[in-house]
Amino acid sequence: MERKIRGRWYVFLLPTLTCFAIAFLIPFIMGIGLSFTEFKTVTNARFVGFENYIAVFKSSDGFISSLIFTVGFSVVTVIAVNLLAFFLALTLVKRFRFRNFYRTVFFMPNLIGGIVLGYIFQLIINGVLLNYGYTITSRWSFGFWGLVILSIWQMSGYMMVIYIAGITSIPGELYEAARVDGASSFRTLISITLPSVMPSITVCLFLSLTNSFKMFDQNLALTAGAPSGQTEMLALDIYNTFYGRTGGEGIGQAKAVIFFIIVAVISFVQLRITRSKEFDS
Amino acid sequence: MKFVLKKTLLYLLLSLLTFVFIFPIILVLINSFKTRFVIQNSPFSLPDSTTFAGIENYVRGLEATDFLASLGRSLFITVFSVVLITVCCSMTAWFIGRVKGRLGNGLYLLFVFSMVVPFQMVMFTMSKVANVLGLDNPIGIVFIYLGFGAGLSVFMFCGAIRGLPRGVEEAAWVDGCSVVRMFFSIVLPLLKPTLVTVSILNAMWIWNDYLLPYLVMGSDYRTIPVAVQYLKGGYGSVDMGALMAVLIVAIIPVTVFYLFTQKFIIEGVAAGAVKG
């Protein structure tokens, strides 16, 4: 049977692999190659060695400040989103009326796209700041906290759903045993719930971290990097280097390669750490 | 007594949170009925007789963005991409799961690897490749989505296929069933829960995607997110009234879809996380 399936590779593999090559594999390899060149279109590339990479780390370029902004934003967002989501999940696993209604409402923001969300929050935040004579682009900190609030609003419901699935799959006997032993509800949370939902925590930390780190649409719509690029996150910085600067393509591609390496390292390290925690418990 | 108090507090807290979650959308809805110049300066006021704009904003907004065309385009691209992704990726995953050895493992690793790569890494070169191959239109972009969405989808189908019983397939094989027919009449029905999950995750992503359709198709073929950004991105003062109206009509299709399918969506997301 295996030989027969192998023989039908053109049915099972060819469509997916062709598109995969066109949309991912070829562009990926070209991208790495082009990061070592200076180019306008893909065909007139000139080899420049590591020049683009050196240019990325010059202080006149916004890359390092974007990196710092992105890291700060991601740390704050991941902590806030997961705390709120976990709290919501703990509350919404209990049996009571309208439980599903609340779940439905908290999840909803996920279905609205980043661009639309960005403009919704721009309206609200500008409306509040107006009372003090500011707009969201007056200071970088306004944009920073604006993005954090928007992300909490958007991502909490998604993570909540994952935590709920994790908590409901904990066997009831564990709680029964804790009750018999006279454990307090806080003690039960620390000793039973938390270790049992470690796989969900892994997934949620991973998802919220990569989502925050790669954020683009919300950033573009909410502040577009204003004031003067101070609220530009990495993805937007790369985009602007490519399309907003003359002759920026090579440097933009070099930044993209660095961005890719950072994201890959984060994904790898994070999965390693949380996976090992799972085995301990 | 203490129990009742606790319960009341719980409901109060949840209702407050519900308000916080719905408020942004209500605010945009209210503003979409106000005349364009008062929105920026007093976003929190209700429209009165002088600031009520009726459906003027909607008329201007829909016209300026050619919204109905964008809606149709977004629908077309999302539906066909999702169908193509689920069918092709489940086939590929079955191939990977049943063909042992270096080929299957190598392909699997390649697809998993692609999930880690951020879009910015390939955006420039991919849009150039799409352009050269003539894929820079609503039909062509469906194939781009298949290629770019393959990583996650193949990965999830592979997880599901590992849990399938081999016995059924072997019995069909003994009965002389061809492998292609076996896949469609035996394997695919067994994959139904994963099909739903993969469809939902991809639909949510493709419907809301901004950068990929913008870079691949430019502003000749605007999807809904591109249309919203197009309205705001022009030079000169922004027509806040039209923007509010377009935001609302962009949210409506998603909300309606969500109200009918929320059970599947929420279950799909939870299932997707367990496998991811």
Side-chain angles (χ1 to χ4, degrees):
Chain A
M1 191 169 96
E2 189 182 318
R3 232 194 40 201
K4 198 79 190 170
I5 299 173
R6 203 186 271 267
R8 292 279 178 275
W9 66 274
Y10 50 88
V11 180
F12 289 100
L13 282 188
L14 197 58
T16 315
L17 272 190
T18 311
C19 294
F20 185 70
I22 292 170
F24 175 77
L25 214 51
I26 295 171
F28 180 78
I29 294 163
M30 277 169 75
I32 290 189
L34 285 174
S35 71
F36 296 101
T37 63
E38 196 183 290
F39 62 100
K40 266 251 161 287
T41 58
V42 176
T43 41
N44 63 359
R46 189 173 61 86
F47 186 75
V48 295
F50 279 94
E51 232 170 74
N52 292 327
Y53 288 91
I54 294 164
V56 169
F57 291 103
K58 282 211 183 104
S59 56
S60 56
D61 195 284
F63 189 74
I64 297 293
S65 63
S66 292
L67 179 63
I68 295 168
F69 186 89
T70 310
V71 170
F73 164 79
S74 303
V75 170
V76 175
T77 305
V78 167
I79 295 172
V81 164
N82 283 286
L83 282 180
L84 178 63
F86 193 73
F87 165 76
L88 287 177
L90 274 183
T91 318
L92 292 180
V93 287
K94 298 187 184 110
R95 274 176 212 290
F96 60 91
R97 248 196 298 175
F98 307 125
R99 182 175 73 165
N100 283 330
F101 167 76
Y102 290 122
R103 285 187 190 181
T104 307
V105 170
F106 296 148
F107 184 79
M108 217 204 111
N110 280 290
L111 295 145
I112 304 172
I115 294 284
V116 173
L117 279 180
Y119 289 124
I120 294 177
F121 274 83
Q122 198 183 54
L123 176 79
I124 299 172
I125 293 167
N126 274 337
V128 174
L129 290 176
L130 188 75
N131 300 323
Y132 309 97
Y134 293 116
T135 66
I136 191 161
T137 53
S138 308
R139 290 185 191 164
W140 74 268
S141 54
F142 294 156
F144 180 88
W145 291 108
L147 276 168
V148 169
I149 294 169
L150 187 160
S151 308
I152 295 172
W153 190 78
Q154 182 184 20
M155 285 196 262
S156 300
Y158 198 97
M159 304 308 152
M160 171 197 78
V161 165
I162 299 173
Y163 282 129
I164 287 179
I167 296 172
T168 32
S169 67
I170 301 172
E173 298 96 70
L174 282 180
Y175 287 106
E176 191 57 33
R179 209 179 52 80
V180 170
D181 290 347
S184 69
S185 54
F186 180 72
R187 183 78 221 174
T188 316
L189 174 70
I190 298 294
S191 310
I192 296 181
T193 313
L194 270 182
S196 310
V197 294
M198 222 42 212
S200 307
I201 295 177
T202 309
V203 172
C204 285
L205 285 180
F206 179 69
L207 281 178
S208 52
L209 185 62
T210 45
N211 278 349
S212 318
F213 213 81
K214 295 195 283 190
M215 185 163 286
F216 178 83
D217 297 5
Q218 292 85 335
N219 193 195
L220 177 69
L222 192 68
T223 66
S228 57
Q230 288 178 46
T231 60
E232 237 173 34
M233 292 179 58
L234 283 177
L236 185 59
D237 179 59
I238 294 169
Y239 175 84
N240 284 335
T241 312
F242 261 115
Y243 299 99
R245 255 192 233 177
T246 39
E249 291 87 351
I251 299 174
Q253 192 60 57
K255 285 182 178 182
V257 172
I258 298 169
F259 186 44
F260 153 64
I261 293 171
I262 297 173
V263 172
V265 168
I266 291 177
S267 315
F268 186 73
V269 170
Q270 222 241 323
L271 281 177
R272 259 290 169 79
I273 293 172
T274 20
R275 280 276 144 84
S276 63
K277 277 247 174 62
E278 276 166 40
F279 291 124
D280 289 347
S281 51
Chain B
M1 187 56 212
K2 202 182 153 206
F3 180 71
V4 175
L5 190 74
K6 231 176 147 182
K7 203 134 207 184
T8 321
L9 268 176
L10 179 72
Y11 276 116
L12 262 176
L13 184 69
L14 285 174
S15 306
L16 187 76
L17 273 171
T18 306
F19 177 74
V20 170
F21 269 76
I22 296 182
F23 174 74
I25 298 167
I26 305 282
L27 188 73
V28 175
L29 184 67
I30 293 170
N31 277 291
S32 71
F33 292 107
K34 294 193 326 206
T35 48
R36 56 197 282 196
F37 300 108
V38 297
I39 297 172
Q40 192 102 57
N41 292 325
S42 55
F44 298 116
S45 66
L46 286 169
D48 56 31
S49 55
T50 53
T51 59
F52 183 69
I55 57 162
E56 249 173 59
N57 291 329
Y58 285 86
V59 175
R60 275 205 323 279
L62 297 191
E63 248 171 35
T65 53
D66 198 4
F67 188 83
L68 285 181
S70 297
L71 176 69
R73 215 169 279 132
S74 278
L75 265 178
F76 175 89
I77 293 172
T78 307
V79 169
F80 282 96
S81 302
V82 167
V83 170
L84 200 67
I85 287 174
T86 46
V87 172
C88 292
C89 292
S90 58
M91 284 164 72
T92 304
W94 191 59
F95 185 93
I96 290 174
R98 292 295 174 256
V99 173
K100 298 287 166 225
R102 233 180 277 164
L103 179 63
N105 286 339
L107 285 171
Y108 181 74
L109 284 179
L110 197 58
F111 282 115
V112 170
F113 169 73
S114 79
M115 295 198 309
V116 186
V117 179
F119 181 63
Q120 273 69 25
M121 177 64 210
V122 296
M123 67 176 178
F124 186 84
T125 41
M126 180 220 269
S127 53
K128 288 282 176 277
V129 171
N131 202 288
V132 169
L133 296 175
L135 297 172
D136 47 0
N137 52 63
I139 297 173
I141 202 171
V142 168
F143 297 100
I144 300 282
Y145 272 122
L146 169 59
F148 207 70
L152 177 72
S153 308
V154 168
F155 172 71
M156 292 189 64
F157 279 122
C158 278
I161 282 164
R162 245 176 255 132
L164 287 187
R166 295 286 286 267
V168 203
E169 288 168 31
E170 263 140 31
W173 175 244
V174 173
D175 287 346
C177 182
S178 81
V179 282
V180 176
R181 234 195 83 194
M182 186 196 298
F183 175 79
F184 282 101
S185 52
I186 297 172
V187 180
L188 207 53
L190 289 173
L191 289 176
K192 215 160 139 200
T194 315
L195 281 172
V196 174
T197 307
V198 170
S199 306
I200 286 164
L201 291 179
N202 280 303
M204 281 169 60
W205 159 54
I206 295 170
W207 179 268
N208 290 320
D209 201 13
Y210 163 74
L211 199 49
L212 195 156
Y214 176 67
L215 290 179
V216 170
M217 302 192 294
S219 33
D220 300 340
Y221 303 105
R222 293 192 292 265
T223 59
I224 291 178
V226 181
V228 174
Q229 179 64 17
Y230 171 80
L231 188 64
K232 179 79 183 197
Y235 289 98
S237 68
V238 178
D239 182 345
M240 285 301 279
L243 180 66
M244 294 301 120
V246 169
L247 292 179
I248 289 298
V249 287
I251 294 172
I252 289 173
V254 190
T255 314
V256 173
F257 180 73
Y258 179 54
L259 288 181
F260 285 106
T261 55
Q262 44 142 321
K263 192 170 155 270
F264 295 104
I265 292 182
I266 290 183
E267 278 170 10
V269 164
V274 174
K275 281 161 204 150

